[in-house]
Amino acid sequence: TEGLVTINPRLVYIKPVDREKVYDGAKLQAEEWEYYSTSLNNQNYQFVEGQTLNCIFEGEQLFVGQSLSTLTVSQIISGSDLVNLANYNVYCGSGSLTVHGIEIIVENQSLEKVYDGKVCNLTEYEILNPENLLSGHKISVVSPFMGTDAGVFVNEMEIVITNETGDEVVGIY
C-alpha cells in the first residue's frame, strides 16, 4: 500500500503596523506590516526564513480622528522567486491610523476693576505656543466674557480658528 504525505499550509497572522501623528495636512497611511496573535513570538507561525511578502495597504486618515487600515497579500517571495501562495494561510488583521489635533494653548487674560455700571467686555488672550498655529491661520474671539455686576467670574470665551480664506479649521486643533 501507498502512504500519503501531507504538507499543511503554514498559518501566519499579520496586520498593518498602527500609525499615528499630529495633523500636518498629509494623509496618514500604513506602510509596513507586523506579526500579531500567535505569530508574534512563534516562528512556526511566521514566514519561512528568507521568505516575505508584498502586500497592498488600504485605508487612510487625513483629518483628526481614527480609522482602520487593512492589507491584502499580493505575493510571497523568496529572494527574487515567487512562492506558491497555497503554502501559507495568511490571516490579515486590521491596524489603526490615528491623526491627533495640533495642540494650541490659549490663556484668557485676567482683569480687576471697580464696579462702574459699564459692561466689561474682555477679549484679551495669549497664545502660549504660537509656533503650533499653522501658517495663514488665525484665532478670533466670537463670544467674549461680558459682565456688569460686582463679583469674581471665570473668564470664559469662545474662540474660532480660521485659515487664510476665512474657513473654520478648529477640527484640526
Side-chain angles (χ1 to χ4, degrees):
T1 63
E2 295 178 1
L4 295 176
V5 175
T6 303
I7 301 174
N8 293 314
R10 184 178 280 236
L11 296 175
V12 177
Y13 299 88
I14 60 172
K15 69 178 213 54
V17 173
D18 296 337
R19 296 192 64 207
E20 62 183 279
K21 68 174 186 172
V22 172
Y23 176 83
D24 64 1
K27 293 177 185 175
L28 179 64
Q29 298 174 305
E31 296 176 346
E32 299 177 311
W33 60 269
E34 64 185 353
Y35 293 112
Y36 79 101
S37 185
T38 309
S39 292
L40 257 179
N41 299 309
N42 187 335
Q43 289 185 335
N44 292 325
Y45 291 92
Q46 297 178 3
F47 292 107
V48 171
E49 187 175 337
Q51 296 183 356
T52 189
L53 65 93
N54 288 330
C55 58
I56 299 166
F57 295 101
E58 295 185 24
E60 61 186 36
Q61 185 69 33
L62 175 59
F63 295 105
V64 174
Q66 186 175 37
S67 61
L68 294 178
S69 62
T70 59
L71 61 85
T72 304
V73 176
S74 58
Q75 48 185 212
I76 299 174
I77 53 175
S78 178
S80 61
D81 299 324
L82 292 178
V83 174
N84 184 350
L85 287 173
N87 291 340
Y88 291 94
N89 279 337
V90 180
Y91 293 91
C92 300
S94 298
S96 66
L97 302 170
T98 305
V99 175
H100 301 285
I102 300 168
E103 183 179 49
I104 296 290
I105 302 171
V106 178
E107 183 178 88
N108 296 347
Q109 298 300 300
S110 297
L111 172 71
E112 186 174 334
K113 71 175 206 161
V114 174
Y115 173 78
D116 60 5
K118 295 179 183 175
V119 174
C120 176
N121 185 351
L122 190 56
T123 60
E124 299 298 317
Y125 61 88
E126 179 182 358
I127 302 171
L128 299 181
N129 55 346
E131 68 280 359
N132 286 2
L133 194 62
L134 295 179
S135 177
H137 290 191
K138 68 177 188 172
I139 294 179
S140 303
V141 176
V142 292
S143 181
F145 170 81
M146 296 180 74
T148 56
D149 295 333
V152 178
F153 305 94
V154 175
N155 180 15
E156 294 181 328
M157 62 178 74
E158 183 180 341
I159 63 168
V160 66
I161 302 175
T162 55
N163 61 18
E164 54 279 339
T165 60
D167 297 322
E168 286 189 30
V169 291
V170 176
I172 64 172
Y173 290 95

